[in-house]
Amino acid sequence: MTDTADRLDAQSIQGVVIRFAGDSGDGMQLTGDRFTSASALAGNDLVTLPEFPAEIRAPQGTLAGVSAFQVHISDHDIHTPGDEPDVLVAMNPAALMSQLGRLKSGGTIILNTDAFDERNLEKCGYEVDPRDNGTLDDYIVHEVPMTSLTLGAVEELDVKKRDAERSKNFFALGLISWMYTRPLEPTIEWVNEKFAKVQTVVDANVMALKAGHAFGETTEMFGDQYEVAAAPNEPGTYTNITGNVATSWGMVAAGQLAKLPVFLGSYPITPASDILHELSRHKNFGVRTFQAEDEIAAAGAALGAAFGGHLAYTTTSGPGVALKGETIGLATSMELPMVIIDVQRGGPSTGLPTKTEASDLFLALYGRHGESPLPVVAAYSPSNCFDMAIEASRLALKYRTPVIYLTDGYLANGAEPWKLPDVDSLPDISVSFTTEPNGDNGEFLPYLRDEIGSRPWAIPGTAGLEHRVGGLEKANVTGNVEYDPDNHGLMTDLRQAKIDGIANDIPLAEVDAVDGAKILLVGWGSTWGSIKAATERLREAGTPTDRVHITHLNPFPSNLGDILRAYDHVIVPELNKGQLIQILRGKYLVDAKGVNKVKGLPFTGGEVVEAVESIVAGTSQGVSL
Amino acid sequence: MTDVTLDPTKRGYWTSDQDVRWCPGCGDYGILAAMQFLYADLAADPDTEVSKENTVFVSGIGCAARFPYYMNTYGMHTIHGRAPAIASGLAAARPDLDIWVVGGDGDMLSIGGNHLIHALRRNVNMKILLFNNQIYGLTKGQYSPTSEVGKVTKSTPMGSIDAPFNPLSVAIGAGATFVARTHDLDRKHMMATFKRAHEHRGASFIEIYQNCNVFNDGAFDAVTKRAARDEMMIDLVHGEPITFGAESQRGIVVDNGTAEIVEIADVDSSRLLVHDEGRDDPSLAFALGQLAHDRQSPTPFGVFRQVERPEYTDGVTNQLLAANEQQGPGDLHALLHSGATWDVN
C-alpha cells in the first residue's frame, strides 16, 4: 500500500487534535470513530469527544443539525480530548460556523466547498461567504470539493447520485488518513464487514476512501504529511474501548466472576441504550436481556430476577433513575442485590440527552423516600467502566443491596486505548446462596445477618427456606411484618450500619502527590482526565498541586477526611453546580471551593487551571464556568 | 394426630405461620382458602407436580397484595402496581418456577395497568389473579377504575364521573391467552378455575369478583348471592351451547358481533352460541365479556378464552440455547479480544 512508503517523508509531531464536523447525516461520528481506531492500532494514546444533537436528523444544513467528533491522538500519555482542535474538517457552512470558535488560532481548516452554496450559507445565517470576507484569515484553509470528487471516484459504480454522495465522509477520512499517515487497511476491512450485505456500498466507500487518500498525495495543496508515533505504553495487548462497551463487558465479566447468570432489565434511553444493545449480543454467556415496557418495569424485572438468584442490572440515565426510585427503595428494604447503572446526561427533565453532565450525584445518594442508604460508585475513564461495573456488582452481591453505578455521556461514548486485563487476574466476586435453615430450631430466619450485616440470600427452589419478603418494615431476624417503633429504629440503624461498614471493604483514597503542595484538587467521575491534565500543567508552571479522585461516593474511603484537612486549598471541580463539594463540606467541615460547569461538555484542562489559579490567588471564592 | 404441616395434601401444609389480617368477613379469606385447598389437591394429584419451594406468589400493594404472606411458599410483596413486571423478571430468570401474581383492581388496572397489559401481551408464564372489589379498600374507600359511574365515595362525594374498565375486555384486548372469571363465594368454582390457569402455558388472567364488606359491601350480591345465581350467573362450558336460568330457558345469540341474551323458546336453536374457548379470533370472547355491563345483568363465569401462543420465557431460553450453539459458550478472554487489538512489547 502507498501509505507505508509515505511515512518516510512524514514530519513527526507529538500529537494532534482533530475535529470532524458536518451535518447529522454526514457520518461524522463514523468518520471520527474510524480515524480513532486506526490511530489506536498505530499505538497512539488517544481521547475522544463525540458530540451530536439529540435529533436523529435535524433539518439539513442547519446549526442545530451539526454533529462533531473530536479526537486527540498523541505519542505520550494524555488525559483529555484537547482544549482546542488543531484541525477542523467542516463538511458544510453550518459546521464551520458552529465550530470555528473552538479552533486554535492558526489552526487548519479543511472545507467541503461543494456544500458552500447560497442555500447552505443562508440556512446557518452566513450573509457573506466566510471564505471571501476575511473570517478565515487567521487559519490555514484547504478548500476541497469533496462531494464532487467523491461522485467522480465512484462514477463507474451503478449507484444513484444521492447514495454516492453519502460516501463523502470516507473521502474526508481518506484525506485525513493521508495527512496523518494512518493506514487504510483497518478501515477497508471494517467497511467490508459492516456493509457486507450491500456490495455497492462497500465499493463506494472504499473508492471514496482511496480517492481522498490519493487526493492528499497527488495535489500539492497540503505540503507536509505528519506522523504521530506510538505512545510508550506498558507491554500488553490493547484495544480501543468506549465507556458503554466497557461497562457492558464488565457486566458480562461480573457474571462470570460471580458464577451467576446475568439479567438486564432495561428501557431504551440515551445515552445508555448501547449497553442494552451490547449485552443483547452476548446471550451465549447466559445473559438475559429484558427490554421492559418502561423504566419502572425494567428495574422491577431486575429485582424479580435478583430474588430468583441472578446477578441483576438495570441500565438507564437520569430520568430513568427518577422513575426507578421506588423499586430501588424496595430493593434496599428487601436487601437484595442489584446494580442500577446511570449513564448521566444533561438535566433537568429531558435536558440535553446527548450531552454529558454529572448532576445525578444527589439523585443517586438521596433520590428515594425514607432512610434508604445504598452504595454509590463512579467510573473515571472509559476503560475504568469495566472495573467499576465489576466493583458495583461485587458490593451488591456481598452486601445484598442495590448499588448505583454512575458513568456519564462523555465516558459512555468517549474512547481510549485499554490494556486488556488478564482474565485470571480479575477478582472472584462469588457469593453463596443459603441452602440450609439458620435458626436454632431448624427454622429459616431471612433477616438473620452475618458479621458484615448482610442477610441470607435464599432463592426459590430451595426446599425448607420458603419465606416472604416485602416492602413493609420487617422484624429483625425473622423478617415478618412488624410495626413496632423500636424495631423500625433498629432496622433503620442496621441497614445504615451495613452500608457504612463498606468503608472497610474499599480501597483507601490515593493522593497523586508532589512535594510542597498546598492545593488539593478533588474529583469524581469523568473529570479525572481534565483534572489530571490541569494538575500536571499547574506543576509545570511551578505550582505544586495534589489530586485525589473519588470512585466510591458512598461510603467514602475512610481516609478521605484526613486527606482533605491536610491542605490550605481544597478545590472541587464538578460538572454540576456543586454536589460533591456540599457533601464534603458537610461531612468533613473543610472550606472547599468549587469549580463548576454545566454546559453539556467536559472541562478542558485550561479551564480548570485558570479556575484554580484564581481561587488560590484569592480573586475568587469558587468558579462557575 | 398427624401434623398437617408435613402433609402436602393437606391445606395446613400450604398455610404460612402468619396471622391473616384482612377484615373479618372479607372475600379474600375465601380466595386464600381456595388456593390452599387447590395446592393440597394438586399435591395429591399424581399427574401434577407442585412443591412449596418452587411456588412463588408476587403481589403489589393493596388488601389483596397481602396474599403472599399467608401462603407457605416463596413470596414477594412489592410495590403498587408493579407485581406483573417484577414477576416477569423472575419468570424470565427462573422459568422453572410456578408463579402467581395477585392484586386488586387499583393495583392491576390503575397504577399498574401498563405492566398488566405487557405481561399479557408477552404471554409470560404466570397466573394473574385480579381481586375485583370495585373499590380502594386499603386507603379506606375511594372509587376505583372498576367502580360504576356515579359511585359516591370519600373522593367522589358528587359521584364518580369516569367510565370503568371491564377487566376482561382489557385482558382480551391485550392478547391474553387465558381469560376467566370466578367469584369469592364459590370455592369449588375458584379451585377449578385456578387449576385450569395452572395447567395453561402462558399468561393466565382471572378476574375474581371479591366482596369488600367494609367499603363496598354487596357489590356483586345481585349476581352471586345463592338465590340469584340461577338467573344471573351464566356458566361457560367449552363445546356446549351457553344456557342459563332455573330451567335453562335462556341462551346467547350473537347478532352483528354483539352478544345478546334471548329466551331459547324464541329463537331457532341453531342460532344459540356454542362456547368455544379455543377460538383463535378473540371477538366472541370479547363479546361475552361485554355482556355484563352493570352489576344487575346476567354475568358469564368460567373460562372465556384459552388459546396457545408462544410463551415468553420459552423464547428467552431458546435464544440462550441458540446463541450458545451459534457462538459457542461464552469465553471472557475472547470477548475482551473481540475488537481490533494491538500489542505493545
Side-chain angles (χ1 to χ4, degrees):
Chain A
M1 291 292 290
T2 50
D3 50 350
T4 40
D6 291 341
R7 265 185 212 163
L8 298 172
D9 306 324
Q11 186 183 326
S12 179
I13 53 173
Q14 288 190 321
V16 64
V17 178
I18 302 171
R19 196 168 172 88
F20 297 93
D23 211 46
S24 305
D26 284 344
M28 289 298 98
Q29 300 303 319
L30 186 153
T31 308
D33 192 53
R34 292 330 302 160
F35 185 80
T36 302
S37 291
S39 300
L41 289 172
N44 295 137
D45 195 14
L46 59 89
V47 181
T48 69
L49 175 63
E51 282 184 65
F52 42 87
E55 294 75 19
I56 301 302
R57 292 276 188 278
Q60 216 177 2
T62 62
L63 291 171
V66 173
S67 172
F69 188 104
Q70 184 166 318
V71 54
H72 183 187
I73 58 171
S74 168
D75 68 356
H76 57 280
D77 188 20
I78 52 167
H79 323 300
T80 75
D83 289 9
E84 296 175 317
D86 301 298
V87 180
L88 171 66
V89 179
M91 300 301 283
N92 67 6
L96 179 67
M97 180 178 245
S98 64
Q99 308 296 317
L100 188 62
R102 299 179 181 231
L103 190 61
K104 181 186 274 180
S105 179
T108 300
I109 301 172
I110 300 170
L111 295 176
N112 175 21
T113 50
D114 287 331
F116 279 69
D117 57 20
E118 216 167 288
R119 199 153 150 265
N120 277 335
L121 289 165
E122 203 176 288
K123 267 191 201 167
C124 63
Y126 271 127
E127 285 172 12
V128 185
D129 191 327
R131 297 174 296 173
D132 300 336
N133 68 352
T135 305
L136 309 180
D137 282 357
D138 292 341
Y139 306 96
I140 301 161
V141 181
H142 298 301
E143 298 190 32
V144 185
M146 296 191 208
T147 313
S148 44
L149 287 169
T150 301
L151 287 175
V154 305
E155 206 169 12
E156 63 187 72
L157 294 175
D158 184 24
V159 281
K160 285 188 203 133
K161 182 167 173 260
R162 227 183 120 78
D163 292 337
E165 279 181 5
R166 295 178 57 168
S167 293
K168 65 180 181 292
N169 60 327
F170 280 91
F171 184 94
L173 178 60
L175 179 55
I176 291 289
S177 297
W178 176 82
M179 284 180 76
Y180 292 94
T181 54
R182 296 284 99 123
L184 300 184
E185 291 90 339
T187 299
I188 293 172
E189 218 170 275
W190 181 86
V191 167
N192 270 300
E193 202 175 303
K194 176 83 181 175
F195 303 105
K197 284 181 186 155
V198 200
Q199 191 56 41
T200 51
V201 175
V202 171
D203 294 343
N205 286 339
V206 171
M207 283 171 156
L209 181 75
K210 288 183 173 172
H213 193 271
F215 182 80
E217 195 173 40
T218 51
T219 58
E220 291 180 357
M221 188 185 275
F222 297 97
D224 286 338
Q225 266 184 297
Y226 301 95
E227 173 158 25
V228 180
N233 246 328
E234 282 176 52
T237 300
Y238 286 73
T239 197
N240 187 43
I241 193 103
T242 64
N244 269 348
V245 171
T247 293
S248 309
W249 290 2
M251 294 158 75
V252 173
Q256 300 281 298
L257 300 169
K259 301 177 185 73
L260 289 177
V262 166
F263 184 95
L264 170 63
S266 189
Y267 185 76
I269 185 170
T270 304
S273 306
D274 281 339
I275 302 175
L276 170 61
H277 305 162
E278 179 66 21
L279 270 205
S280 301
R281 298 174 55 221
H282 302 302
K283 294 184 176 171
N284 59 326
F285 283 87
V287 171
R288 288 164 172 81
T289 54
F290 180 81
Q291 183 178 316
E293 58 270 25
D294 60 30
E295 294 280 359
I296 298 171
L303 184 61
F307 185 68
H310 281 225
L311 174 51
Y313 297 93
T314 186
T315 48
T316 188
S317 188
V321 177
L323 285 164
K324 294 176 199 294
E326 193 184 10
T327 312
I328 301 169
L330 178 64
T332 58
S333 174
M334 286 184 169
E335 301 191 46
L336 283 169
M338 70 183 280
V339 178
I340 301 94
I341 300 177
D342 175 5
V343 186
Q344 299 167 94
R345 66 190 217 187
S349 187
T350 309
L352 300 175
T354 60
K355 309 291 183 195
T356 200
E357 207 164 284
S359 46
D360 292 351
L361 180 58
F362 282 165
L363 174 66
L365 289 166
Y366 311 123
R368 294 160 298 285
H369 64 280
E371 293 290 340
S372 50
L374 51 71
V376 177
V377 299
Y380 64 78
S381 75
S383 66
N384 179 245
C385 290
F386 179 81
D387 300 316
M388 290 320 289
I390 297 172
E391 173 66 354
S393 310
R394 178 184 77 89
L395 294 175
L397 291 170
K398 185 168 175 182
Y399 294 91
R400 321 278 202 250
T401 177
V403 174
I404 295 184
Y405 157 38
L406 299 169
T407 76
D408 62 32
Y410 173 47
L411 296 179
N413 293 318
E416 66 173 355
W418 177 38
K419 186 187 166 194
L420 291 168
D422 177 3
V423 168
D424 295 331
S425 72
L426 297 173
D428 179 357
I429 61 169
S430 61
V431 295
S432 302
F433 295 129
T434 299
T435 55
E436 299 293 333
N438 57 354
D440 290 339
N441 303 314
E443 76 275 42
F444 177 56
L445 302 167
Y447 278 77
L448 180 65
R449 294 166 194 278
D450 63 12
E451 65 282 359
I452 57 168
S454 295
R455 75 176 193 87
W457 191 10
I459 63 169
T462 314
L465 306 191
E466 295 81 13
H467 65 285
R468 278 64 59 190
V469 290
L472 286 167
E473 184 59 284
K474 286 155 285 286
N476 187 29
V477 181
T478 66
N480 291 329
V481 175
E482 179 60 68
Y483 301 112
D484 176 70
D486 288 339
N487 176 75
H488 180 52
L490 174 65
M491 290 299 278
T492 303
D493 291 344
L494 288 173
R495 286 187 288 261
Q496 183 72 51
K498 178 178 79 169
I499 303 304
D500 290 347
I502 292 174
N504 302 318
D505 192 16
I506 58 174
L508 293 176
E510 274 184 45
V511 181
D512 170 10
V514 288
D515 282 345
K518 295 190 161 45
I519 305 166
L520 177 72
L521 302 188
V522 185
W524 70 277
S526 70
T527 54
W528 176 80
S530 317
I531 294 173
K532 192 169 182 205
T535 305
E536 287 170 6
R537 282 193 223 174
L538 285 162
R539 290 173 184 171
E540 281 164 20
T543 309
T545 303
D546 288 358
R547 179 180 71 83
V548 65
H549 208 77
I550 306 174
T551 53
H552 292 73
L553 293 145
N554 191 47
F556 285 128
S558 54
N559 61 337
L560 187 61
D562 290 341
I563 290 172
L564 297 177
R565 292 187 196 102
Y567 292 86
D568 292 349
H569 300 279
V570 175
I571 298 173
V572 187
E574 289 184 85
L575 295 175
N576 58 46
K577 293 310 282 181
Q579 300 190 7
L580 175 65
I581 193 174
Q582 188 172 323
I583 302 165
L584 296 180
R585 291 177 67 107
K587 193 172 165 76
Y588 299 112
L589 300 176
V590 290
D591 187 17
K593 305 286 196 304
V595 181
N596 305 97
K597 180 175 180 181
V598 183
K599 295 185 171 181
L601 288 168
F603 285 114
T604 65
E607 286 171 339
V608 177
V609 169
E610 278 178 35
V612 169
E613 284 170 344
S614 79
I615 290 169
V616 172
T619 52
S620 152
Q621 289 297 303
V623 176
S624 191
L625 291 164
Chain B
M1 230 176 81
T2 55
D3 185 350
V4 292
T5 64
L6 298 177
D7 182 353
T9 66
K10 298 286 188 271
R11 178 189 179 190
Y13 181 85
W14 299 95
T15 306
S16 81
D17 61 357
Q18 297 298 296
D19 293 334
V20 181
R21 296 191 195 178
W22 287 310
C23 306
C26 177
D28 291 355
Y29 284 95
I31 305 171
L32 177 65
M35 186 62 74
Q36 290 165 341
F37 278 117
L38 170 69
Y39 266 82
D41 281 5
L42 291 175
D45 178 352
D47 296 331
T48 309
E49 213 174 292
V50 290
S51 69
K52 54 185 180 182
E53 66 267 23
N54 285 328
T55 306
V56 186
F57 283 83
V58 183
S59 65
I61 292 294
C63 296
R66 300 296 177 96
F67 200 93
Y69 288 120
Y70 311 133
M71 291 297 299
N72 191 18
T73 62
Y74 281 89
M76 294 180 94
H77 176 215
T78 69
I79 35 184
H80 206 13
R82 317 303 170 202
I86 291 168
S88 293
L90 178 62
R94 294 289 305 277
D96 57 311
L97 298 175
D98 178 6
I99 299 173
W100 295 79
V101 174
V102 180
D105 36 308
D107 201 37
M108 293 275 191
L109 288 172
S110 208
I111 193 166
N114 195 33
H115 308 304
L116 173 70
I117 58 174
H118 287 279
L120 295 173
R121 167 181 73 83
R122 290 192 182 98
N123 201 30
V124 182
N125 194 34
M126 55 195 193
K127 287 76 69 180
I128 301 173
L129 304 181
L130 189 151
F131 293 19
N132 185 9
N133 57 20
Q134 303 185 339
I135 199 78
Y136 281 82
L138 198 64
T139 51
K140 300 185 181 175
Q142 300 81 10
Y143 83 112
S144 91
T146 56
S147 297
E148 69 280 12
V149 175
K151 185 90 173 171
V152 174
T153 70
K154 284 176 193 158
S155 63
T156 51
M158 298 171 74
S160 61
I161 51 181
D162 36 341
F165 266 134
N166 176 328
L168 297 186
S169 301
V170 173
I172 293 166
T177 53
F178 181 98
V179 180
R181 178 189 281 142
T182 184
H183 70 100
D184 61 4
L185 293 175
D186 187 341
R187 182 187 299 162
K188 267 194 185 154
H189 193 269
M190 282 190 284
M191 287 172 67
T193 311
F194 298 167
K195 187 165 191 272
R196 288 284 311 276
H198 191 261
E199 288 163 355
H200 178 68
R201 181 96 190 135
S204 310
F205 177 86
I206 301 175
E207 178 190 21
I208 307 168
Y209 277 7
Q210 176 247 321
N211 191 41
C212 173
N213 57 318
V214 174
F215 295 106
N216 200 21
D217 195 23
F220 306 106
D221 277 2
V223 177
T224 60
K225 274 276 177 201
R226 199 164 291 275
R229 288 183 193 173
D230 279 351
E231 296 301 328
M232 297 297 276
M233 291 185 62
I234 306 171
D235 201 14
L236 299 177
V237 182
H238 179 60
E240 303 275 328
I242 301 170
T243 63
F244 67 103
E247 313 290 331
S248 293
Q249 77 279 20
R250 307 177 86 183
I252 309 282
V253 297
V254 175
D255 202 9
N256 275 333
T258 305
E260 283 171 20
I261 293 166
V262 293
E263 300 298 323
I264 290 174
D266 297 345
V267 296
D268 188 307
S269 64
S270 65
R271 287 189 61 208
L272 289 176
L273 181 64
V274 175
H275 185 47
D276 180 5
E277 300 168 354
R279 192 183 152 106
D280 197 44
D281 171 62
S283 55
L284 278 184
F286 191 87
L288 284 174
Q290 289 283 314
L291 202 55
H293 47 78
D294 58 49
R295 305 193 294 188
Q296 277 75 44
S297 308
T299 304
F301 286 82
V303 178
F304 286 63
R305 174 170 173 77
Q306 196 222 332
V307 294
E308 300 298 320
R309 192 153 66 75
E311 190 276 322
Y312 182 80
T313 68
D314 286 342
V316 172
T317 305
N318 290 339
Q319 288 198 347
L320 293 187
L321 292 172
N324 212 50
E325 203 164 282
Q326 289 158 17
Q327 298 164 256
D331 176 342
L332 191 54
H333 177 86
L335 173 65
L336 300 187
H337 290 75
S338 60
T341 61
W342 67 96
D343 290 321
V344 173
N345 299 312

